Amino acid sequence: MNYKILNFNVIGDERGKLVSLESFKNIPFDIKRVYYIYDTNAEPRGFHAHTRLEQVVVALAGSCEFELDDGKNKEIIKLNSPNVGLYIGVNIWRIMRNFSNNCRLMVLASDYYNESEYIRDYNEFLKVVK
Ligand code: TYD
């Protein structure tokens, strides 16, 4: 499936910890956009795939689960560490759920927001990947 778990190097000392994210170094694309998701509740999110966009998601605080689906298989990935990134490539249907109370997700994206490259209909997604 077109995803990867990225384990970031943590630069830590007695003052705390620091993680640095750089385009084409530990992030496998040019970062054009950053957005974050917080104040979530029991409502799952996502329910879409991207035809062109690549993203890396980091749980800066708390945890949540990603259900990833390539049209054939589904996998559930739990994100709960600021030093782990979930890379999601194109044509992966994603659902985010089971957010912890304090969950803060930071998302790095390979392009500007463009609704026209989203697939928001699951049947259309299945047609695209088959
Ligand atoms: P949506 O895709 O529903 O979020 P999620 O994938 O978390 O379920 O996006 C919510 C709204 O925010 C929707 O109207 C599109 C808008 N949006 C932007 O304007 N810019 C962005 O970078 C993103 C990711 C979403």
Side-chain angles (χ1 to χ4, degrees):
M1 201 180 293
N2 193 7
Y3 80 85
K4 266 181 263 175
I5 302 294
L6 309 175
N7 289 296
F8 302 131
N9 188 37
V10 180
I11 307 165
D13 59 32
E14 61 286 349
R15 299 167 301 164
K17 293 176 179 165
L18 183 155
V19 171
S20 173
L21 305 178
E22 298 177 291
S23 298
F24 300 124
K25 290 191 176 175
N26 53 359
I27 298 299
F29 51 75
D30 191 22
I31 302 161
K32 288 257 189 72
R33 174 167 52 112
V34 178
Y35 63 92
Y36 35 91
I37 296 172
Y38 61 104
D39 279 359
T40 49
N41 52 39
E43 202 65 39
R45 306 182 63 110
F47 301 94
H48 64 255
H50 292 281
T51 54
R52 292 204 293 274
L53 193 73
E54 300 169 271
Q55 296 184 293
V56 170
V57 190
V58 183
L60 291 181
S63 65
C64 85
E65 286 175 5
F66 272 72
E67 181 183 304
L68 303 181
D69 175 354
D70 65 3
K72 289 195 190 97
N73 299 301
K74 290 183 186 180
E75 291 191 42
I76 292 176
I77 316 286
K78 184 163 181 163
L79 279 186
N80 60 6
S81 167
N83 59 41
V84 172
L86 172 61
Y87 166 85
I88 308 176
V90 299
N91 293 334
I92 298 286
W93 187 264
R94 85 284 317 269
I95 300 170
M96 295 162 256
R97 51 164 71 97
N98 295 331
F99 298 97
S100 67
N101 281 337
N102 56 341
C103 183
R104 278 157 174 48
L105 295 179
M106 177 182 71
V107 187
L108 311 179
S110 65
D111 212 340
Y112 302 116
Y113 173 69
N114 174 9
E115 186 62 37
S116 72
E117 65 81 45
Y118 277 66
I119 307 173
R120 292 195 185 265
D121 179 275
Y122 190 70
N123 289 323
E124 188 195 332
F125 167 70
L126 290 179
K127 277 188 213 149
V128 167
V129 293
K130 265 161 196 163

